[in-house]
Amino acid sequence: MSMENRNMNNRNMNNNRMNRTERTERELMDIITKVSFAMDDTRLFLDTHPDCTEAMEYFQKMHRIRHESVKEYTQRFGQIVSYHIDGCDSWDWNSAPLPWHSSKKGGC
Amino acid sequence: MWAYEKRLQYPVDIKTRDPKIAQIIISQYGGPDGEIDASLRYLSQKYTMSNKRVAGLLNDIGTEELAHLEIVGALVQQLTDGLSIDEIKAAGFDKYYVDHTLGIWPQAAGGIFQNACQFQSKGDPITDLFEDLAAEQKARSTYDNILRMVKDPDVCDVIKFLRQREIVHFQRFGEGLRMVQDDLDSRNFYAFNPSFDMK
């Protein structure tokens, strides 16, 4: 990802954090998608540049935002990682829309 | 092991079905430069990669390729969702339909089934990394060819994302190759197989 893209993503995320009004499921998933991708891309960069402190700091920053966003998403809309299921009474792992379906079919 | 995360790496939301475009995009599901071959190639090569960091890179890229396989599958599914028999026949989708209905099956656009002979795991780090570099370029060319034929902006957007990842992976594999070569004698990188002859 280019530096401009990174800065743009950072700005969007900061805006999202300032407006603490309730985010919709789509907005929250959008943040998770972007921040996770930033980590996916930076992970590969760090694989071949393990001593780059700038990349490491960026990875940690994205990790913090992702952790918060996934936590909020899981609490409000359900699990996206099955290890996060806490053993409650009903099994709702497969009741949410499937990510590979289009929105007209009830997907994400 | 792998833990599934219930989301796509890049969202796919197609509004207009198009079985003709689905038939060319399916090549990146199971074709010669498709995502399942990419994933199997890197996840198989990792075991005999001599440099530990590069073995980890193969594992990470091989994992991302599985996410790309899911994206391409979602594209094909959404482009064919709800087709009528008349639409199937008009688009020439009948030959696929007769065997798979609207199921997703790994094949090339020309109908040839996915086959492990479409990639190599040679057990020689330099040989394998050169194959990986070539594979990323070949997949990029396929995505370029797809982009020349697709008009739907919702489809183009996803294909452009996948194309971009081929370029990033090429760059990382180039760095991986350099790391492997740094472990070797620079006067003759090819004197022997570092994963077999150096034990």
Side-chain angles (χ1 to χ4, degrees), chain B residues 42-122:
Chain B
Y42 309 145
L43 295 179
S44 300
Q45 290 176 354
K46 70 177 181 179
Y47 299 100
T48 50
M49 181 49 63
S50 52
N51 182 296
K52 197 166 62 176
R53 289 191 188 279
V54 181
L57 176 71
L58 283 168
N59 199 50
D60 286 343
I61 297 183
T63 299
E64 186 179 342
E65 305 293 8
L66 283 176
H68 296 173
L69 179 77
E70 187 183 32
I71 291 171
V72 176
L75 275 173
V76 176
Q77 193 277 324
Q78 294 184 26
L79 285 165
T80 55
D81 192 30
L83 283 177
S84 69
I85 288 295
D86 285 342
E87 286 172 310
I88 285 167
K89 289 205 279 193
F93 197 63
D94 45 354
K95 290 181 201 69
Y96 183 91
Y97 168 84
V98 69
D99 288 328
H100 312 293
T101 327
L102 299 182
I104 308 299
W105 190 69
Q107 67 158 51
I112 301 164
F113 53 87
Q114 192 274 332
N115 180 334
C117 294
Q118 291 171 170
F119 68 86
Q120 250 294 23
S121 176
K122 199 70 185 177

Side-chain angles (χ1 to χ4, degrees), chain A residues 59-71:
Chain A
F59 190 83
Q60 285 162 346
K61 185 178 175 190
M62 294 301 109
H63 178 266
R64 282 192 293 275
I65 300 170
R66 189 188 130 92
H67 181 76
E68 271 177 39
S69 310
V70 171
K71 196 169 143 193

